[in-house]
Amino acid sequence: AAHPPNTGEYPDSFWRSLVHLNRFRGFLALLFLLAPLYGQTSLPLGEKAGWFMLAGAVYGLLALFFGQALKRRHPPYERQVDLQVAADVALLTSVMGLAGGNASGIGLLLIIPMAAAGLQPQPRRALFLAALGTLAVLLEQSLQSLVWQGDGGGYLRAGLLALGFFTVSTLSHILAKGALSSARLAGEKAAEAQSLARINDRVIQELQEGVLVIDAQGRILQHNGRAEALLGCTLHNRSHVGTCADNLARLWQQWQASGSNPDLPFTIAEGPRRLRARFSALDPGRDAGAMILLQDLTELEREAQNMKLASLGRLTANLAHEIRNPLAAIHQAASLLEEEPATPTMSRLTRIIIDNARRLDRLVEDVLSVNRRDRAQKETVELADFLHDFVEQFAQTEQMPTGVIALTVAPGLRIVFDRLHLTQILWNLMRNAWRYCTRAQGSIRLHAVAAENAVWIEVFNDGAPIPPELRKHLFEPFYTTEVRGTGLGLYIARELAEANGGALSYVDQNEGALFRLSCAPAPAVAVAGAAPPQMQTVPS
């Protein structure tokens, strides 16, 4: 089956012209059917009346057929013009011959189809249809003169009528060609406008600022998703701007009255966000509405704080490097003084110098560790061996009694982590656990277990749970409740965990304190015939 062609290249006005021509055709068909009954005085047909009515009936059927084709817009536009004009030429010249020839004036009706012929986009087709009408008129005149022995209006009138065909067809084609060019240009401009509208809408949706476009009554004409997120509600077109944010509606009214943007931020009831609104008039008089830009000052302030902390971190690291050299000299000098014979007061003062020098050295080391998170050298770590060696080393260094630490780890657990970073994280967690535990047998539990898409290393101590008001400050830098603490231990531990693709968190529970280090597991290595791993407990 044939598929309908793409009719988009011809504007609707061209198709409407053919619809009007077909209506005119239907009117002529009705007129030809009734003319033998009521027009015998002005149009004497005699015995030809029946043929005249038959021609009108055929013309009416053609009008119905062409009407259905125009609704479907199939066949294509050019073919429909050819068929309709050819049918008009054939039927109207036949009716003209029945009515007595060109002298009856019916030939003038062919001017209308010739105007439709000019709607053809190719000039050759328009001239061909005009030539077809000319041949039909001249053939009818020849039949009148040679066969029917009548005048029929003469060849002069037929020639003038044919000249009119070409004139009307040419003028119509020139006008149609200009209209078609204008329609195509308008279509291209419309497509460009639609493309620009889509691009503008995409740009607006991708903006980090919220965008609201409102009319003079405060009704929303356009908005982006960021505006909904900042205001914390769903926006609808034509809804009032005050539906979600009363404070924003009041600021808009103040801007309408004064024309100046507000300096102070505003808040919304749904959350703690501090927003800033900037109004821009859609016209110079602020009568057509405004475009509102919403900025989240909370995020801007957070970004500024992060930049400040980053700069401060670099400055602190540089200062720490400069401090280490004189600090080492102070520590060495105090150690030499300690070896010399001295009074008890001198020994006590020397010990104070050495203790504080060590404390400063540890603080400098913690500060420098903050800047080492980006230097992670990841490798595959066998947790069973690593944790066993770590526990022995830690217990020996801290001079812990045997059995205080209970290590539980499944053999075969492997993670991807920097060994030095892992040691530093666990050393910090275990030191805190040793400080706050009851120091009884099994007071500290170090547990390693495989979780979903991760490996958990948990450090538990049986001391008092961390109070809720302190938990939110656990991982903040320089926050500590200890007089001699630096407040950087947990902060550095979390930074190093994140540098290795892991996470460090505090697990809330009723008894004791539990910290969980989540690590990325190493790819599994299949071993044929290997038995499933068993948990093992190693007291230390």
Side-chain angles (χ1 to χ4, degrees):
H3 296 280
N6 181 13
T7 59
E9 62 175 304
Y10 294 101
D12 289 338
S13 59
F14 278 53
W15 289 95
R16 285 197 299 269
S17 298
L18 292 185
V19 172
H20 295 323
L21 174 62
N22 197 55
R23 291 174 181 171
F24 176 70
R25 188 178 296 115
F27 170 75
L28 290 181
L30 180 62
L31 181 64
F32 293 158
L33 284 171
L34 299 178
L37 302 177
Y38 301 98
Q40 288 291 339
T41 55
S42 59
L43 193 65
L45 298 174
E47 58 184 13
K48 298 179 182 179
W51 289 101
F52 201 89
M53 296 178 66
L54 178 60
V58 173
Y59 209 25
L61 292 176
L62 285 175
L64 294 176
F65 172 76
F66 291 141
Q68 294 299 318
L70 289 171
K71 287 182 179 180
R72 297 192 307 267
R73 294 196 176 184
H74 181 68
Y77 177 82
E78 299 95 331
R79 191 177 301 175
Q80 290 210 35
V81 173
D82 291 341
L83 293 175
Q84 292 190 31
V85 174
D88 290 334
V89 169
L91 266 295
L92 289 179
T93 53
S94 299
V95 171
M96 183 175 62
L98 294 174
N102 194 23
S104 63
I106 294 179
L108 294 175
L109 296 176
L110 283 170
I111 294 295
I112 304 299
M114 290 303 137
L119 297 178
Q120 287 283 17
Q122 295 87 6
R124 289 180 297 178
R125 301 183 76 156
L127 294 176
F128 170 77
L129 293 176
L132 181 65
T134 299
L135 291 176
V137 169
L138 292 177
L139 177 61
E140 189 277 334
Q141 180 62 41
S142 298
L143 291 175
Q144 288 286 346
S145 301
L146 301 177
V147 179
W148 297 323
Q149 302 298 320
D151 179 44
Y155 283 100
L156 177 60
R157 182 177 291 182
L160 293 176
L161 183 59
L163 180 61
F165 291 167
F166 281 97
T167 302
V168 170
S169 178
T170 301
L171 292 177
S172 177
H173 175 73
I174 294 174
L175 295 176
K177 187 175 181 180
L180 186 59
S181 299
S182 300
R184 288 174 177 170
L185 181 61
E188 293 175 358
K189 296 298 183 182
E192 292 178 3
Q194 291 177 357
S195 178
L196 289 176
R198 287 193 299 268
I199 293 174
N200 290 336
D201 185 67
R202 182 65 179 272
V203 170
I204 291 174
Q205 293 299 327
E206 295 294 332
L207 286 176
Q208 294 300 315
E209 294 83 7
V211 178
L212 290 173
V213 180
I214 59 176
D215 60 11
Q217 287 73 38
R219 292 173 299 200
I220 298 174
L221 303 178
Q222 190 175 5
H223 67 279
N224 63 355
R226 182 61 175 165
E228 291 185 333
L230 292 177
L231 297 178
C233 68
T234 302
L235 301 175
H236 302 281
N237 288 342
R238 313 305 297 180
S239 62
H240 196 270
V241 67
T243 303
C244 290
D246 294 336
N247 293 337
L248 181 59
R250 285 193 289 270
L251 291 177
W252 170 67
Q253 293 171 356
Q254 295 174 7
W255 173 82
Q256 272 192 317
S258 63
S260 60
N261 280 297
D263 296 328
L264 298 177
F266 70 96
T267 58
I268 55 177
E270 288 76 6
R273 293 181 183 271
R274 296 172 62 249
L275 305 179
R276 179 171 62 187
R278 288 289 179 264
F279 298 87
S280 177
L282 300 181
D283 69 335
R286 302 193 302 277
D287 296 329
M291 180 179 68
I292 308 175
L293 291 180
L294 300 176
Q295 290 181 311
D296 188 354
L297 292 183
T298 306
E299 292 186 1
L300 293 176
E301 292 169 353
R302 186 184 300 114
E303 292 178 0
Q305 182 68 15
N306 291 337
M307 294 178 62
K308 183 187 295 184
L309 288 176
S311 301
L312 181 60
R314 289 191 292 269
L315 175 62
T316 306
N318 293 332
L319 289 176
H321 277 293
E322 297 298 328
I323 291 173
R324 296 193 89 174
N325 292 331
L327 185 61
I330 293 172
H331 187 276
Q332 183 178 7
S335 298
L336 293 175
L337 285 175
E338 191 178 25
E339 296 176 358
E340 297 292 330
T343 62
T345 302
M346 182 67 71
S347 298
R348 184 173 58 84
L349 293 177
T350 303
R351 175 51 52 189
I352 291 175
I353 293 175
I354 292 175
D355 291 343
N356 283 277
R358 288 175 178 172
R359 183 186 174 197
L360 285 174
D361 186 66
R362 188 169 64 251
L363 177 60
V364 168
E365 184 63 30
D366 288 343
V367 169
L368 292 177
S369 297
V370 176
N371 293 285
R372 295 174 185 164
R373 61 162 292 168
D374 296 329
R375 303 182 217 167
Q377 298 179 358
K378 299 180 184 179
E379 58 180 298
T380 300
V381 179
E382 296 283 350
L383 277 185
D385 297 336
F386 177 86
L387 293 179
H388 186 274
D389 295 340
F390 171 82
V391 168
E392 287 184 355
Q393 180 183 0
F394 182 82
Q396 183 179 2
T397 303
E398 298 293 332
Q399 300 179 355
M400 300 173 62
T402 303
V404 175
I405 301 176
L407 172 62
T408 305
V409 58
L413 285 184
R414 303 161 68 244
I415 63 173
V416 178
F417 220 93
D418 186 307
R419 284 181 177 270
L420 295 179
H421 289 176
L422 183 59
T423 300
Q424 186 172 354
I425 294 171
L426 292 179
W427 202 280
N428 185 283
L429 297 178
M430 293 292 287
R431 182 180 291 168
N432 288 339
W434 173 238
R435 181 182 302 151
Y436 295 107
C437 73
T438 62
R439 305 199 174 189
Q441 293 290 311
S443 293
I444 300 175
R445 295 199 296 268
L446 181 58
H447 179 64
V449 63
E452 184 178 359
N453 299 325
V455 174
W456 289 349
I457 303 176
E458 297 179 338
V459 178
F460 170 83
N461 74 85
D462 60 356
I466 299 177
E469 62 273 12
L470 299 181
R471 292 173 189 169
K472 61 182 180 180
H473 302 294
L474 278 177
F475 300 100
E476 291 183 4
F478 303 108
Y479 180 84
T480 180
T481 57
E482 293 293 325
V483 177
R484 294 181 176 272
T486 62
L488 288 173
L490 289 177
Y491 170 74
I492 294 172
R494 188 186 63 175
E495 291 291 304
L496 294 179
E498 293 178 355
N500 287 271
L504 179 62
S505 60
Y506 174 77
V507 181
D508 187 15
Q509 54 184 21
N510 296 329
E511 297 180 356
L514 176 62
F515 286 87
R516 176 179 293 158
L517 174 62
S518 178
C519 310
V525 178
V527 179
Q534 303 294 327
M535 298 293 290
Q536 64 177 1
T537 301
V538 182
S540 301

